Structures are given as structure tokens and as C-alpha cells.
Amino acid sequence: GESVGLHLPTLSVQEGDNSIINCAYSNSASDYFIWYKQESGKGPQFIIDIRSNMDKRQGQRVTVLLNKTVKHLSLQIAATQPGDSAVYFCAETLYSSASKIIFGSGTRLSIRP
Amino acid sequence: DTEVTQTPKHLVMGMTNKKSLKCEQHMGHRAMYWYKQKAKKPPELMFVYSYEKLSINESVPSRFSPECPNSSLLNLHLHALQPEDSALYLCASSQGGGGVLEQFFGPGTRLTVL
């Protein structure tokens, strides 16, 4: 079956620098994408989403970029803080049936002081 | 209240036991979900309830039996589990009915099957 995958399983970033987490998806029919953050001992937490009719969406300190041509998604975190340490999952679904979300394999983000 | 609660936090059970996991939300959400998450893996969807009716079953073995007694509660009944069923079981909810799509997750129940 088709799945969502990530380029890097781990990412280490200096505190204060920007982080970029990448994701590749293979289901060309997917039209809704979500980034989740999962801290140790907690469930995933919604960060930001984007629909396929957009190529960029900004939130507070986070930006999601979508490149449908190469089926690529990225999450940019500005001025990374120790509290950003977590595993980040991208996920894909169909907006019309967004109950069924397929998660990517995840990237662990660690922050160097 | 924007929280999904799950009980118990941890559960250890034998392969012949019967136990239940519970999930509760008071956000007025009409869609509720069960996910299974193995260590260092992403969550995998198991079941979806929409307006208290089972709408998606991802070919989950019958030893897992979901139940939605009302719009705020979701249970997962466990019977004759195998050691490979040991995992973090996550509950989530969303508005449902074509509304806001964001899923809110609980902290999960860490299940160990001996």
C-alpha cells in the first residue's frame, strides 16, 4: 500500500536555530496533510495542517510547505527551543474522509544547548 | 475542557485475562478513534466511531472489541491478547460531521501482555 515516509529519522539542532523536518508522501490522491508533535509520554498533538490547494501555511513559529510536484512536505520551526524536543509525524489523508489518517514514520528532534 | 482522558495509564495483563480501556472527552466531539502505537513507530488506526456508530474497522482481530456507549465515552475491550499486542493505545476525538478535522489525542494506555 502507499505510505508516508520521512527522509531523516533523527535531527539535532542548536537551540535558537531553525529546524526543518522533511516528509515524502506517495499517495497522489491525498489532499490534506497534518503535522503532529509527540512528546515523551504523551499523545500526538496537532501542530499545523495544509490542504493541497495551498503550498505554504504559517502558524506561530511554524511553517508548513507543500510541493505537490515532488510529493514533498516540510515543517519549519523558527528559533528552536528546548520545548520543541519531540518526535514529529507528518500525516496524510483525504479531506473528504479525514477520519482515516496515515502517519509517516516520524523524526525525532533533539535540541543542543 | 479540551482534553481527552484515558484510563488506566498502564495495564499489565495475561493472555487469558479480560480487560477494558476507557476513553472520555467532553468537547462535544462526535467522532472518536482508537490507535495502536508500537515503540518508535507511528500510530496506526484501529477503529473509528462516528455519531456512536462504528464507521471504520481496520481489519483488527476480534480479540479487540470497541464500544461507544455514548458520545463522550469510548471503550476498548480486550480478551485473549497476545504478547505482540503490547503497545501504547491511543484514543482521539474530532468534531466529526464534516466540521473541523483536527484530532485531539489522549495520553494513551501503555499495555503489556505477558
Side-chain angles (χ1 to χ4, degrees):
Chain A
E2 299 188 274
S3 63
V4 177
L6 293 175
H7 294 313
L8 294 172
T10 59
L11 179 64
S12 179
V13 175
Q14 190 79 32
E15 182 178 350
D17 286 354
N18 296 337
S19 302
I20 299 176
I21 301 172
N22 294 305
C23 175
Y25 68 94
S26 57
N27 186 352
S28 56
S30 294
D31 60 3
Y32 179 59
F33 305 88
I34 313 118
W35 280 100
Y36 285 92
K37 172 186 181 183
Q38 187 173 22
E39 297 175 89
S40 181
K42 296 184 179 180
Q45 177 186 6
F46 175 97
I47 300 174
I48 192 168
D49 59 357
I50 189 167
R51 294 188 66 176
S52 59
N53 60 353
M54 303 173 69
D55 54 19
K56 180 179 180 179
R57 190 158 189 233
Q58 288 185 291
Q60 188 174 13
R61 276 202 311 120
V62 294
T63 300
V64 55
L65 300 177
L66 175 62
N67 185 331
K68 295 181 287 295
T69 303
V70 295
K71 299 192 185 71
H72 183 268
L73 197 65
S74 69
L75 177 70
Q76 300 178 2
I77 304 173
T80 310
Q81 303 169 358
D84 295 326
S85 293
V87 177
Y88 289 81
F89 294 100
C90 64
E92 62 172 324
T93 188
L94 292 173
Y95 189 81
S96 60
S97 61
S99 294
K100 190 168 179 175
I101 290 175
I102 299 173
F103 283 81
S105 55
T107 293
R108 179 172 297 280
L109 178 64
S110 63
I111 313 303
R112 302 192 302 273
Chain B
D1 185 355
T2 59
E3 204 177 30
V4 176
T5 59
Q6 291 187 244
T7 56
K9 286 191 174 182
H10 301 275
L11 179 62
V12 179
M13 61 186 290
M15 290 189 284
T16 58
N17 292 159
K18 284 185 181 181
K19 297 287 185 182
S20 296
L21 309 184
K22 297 186 184 301
C23 173
E24 191 167 1
Q25 57 86 15
H26 295 288
M27 294 178 277
H29 289 171
R30 303 310 301 269
M32 296 187 76
Y33 312 77
W34 281 115
Y35 288 84
K36 173 182 179 179
Q37 186 176 25
K38 301 283 275 185
K40 297 184 175 23
K41 296 290 186 182
E44 295 178 349
L45 184 65
M46 300 174 71
F47 302 104
V48 180
Y49 273 83
S50 179
Y51 290 84
E52 296 143 61
K53 293 196 185 313
L54 184 65
S55 60
I56 295 177
N57 176 343
E58 288 290 283
S59 302
V60 179
S62 59
R63 58 186 183 269
F64 296 91
S65 175
E67 178 197 18
C68 190
N70 60 56
S71 60
S72 300
L73 293 174
L74 186 67
N75 298 322
L76 186 63
H77 303 298
L78 314 172
H79 174 53
L81 295 193
Q82 303 297 310
E84 58 264 30
D85 296 322
S86 297
L88 181 69
Y89 288 85
L90 294 161
C91 174
S93 70
S94 67
Q95 186 170 322
V100 173
L101 303 176
E102 180 179 348
Q103 291 188 19
F104 292 78
F105 283 81
T109 293
R110 177 78 56 190
L111 175 68
T112 302
V113 182
L114 302 177

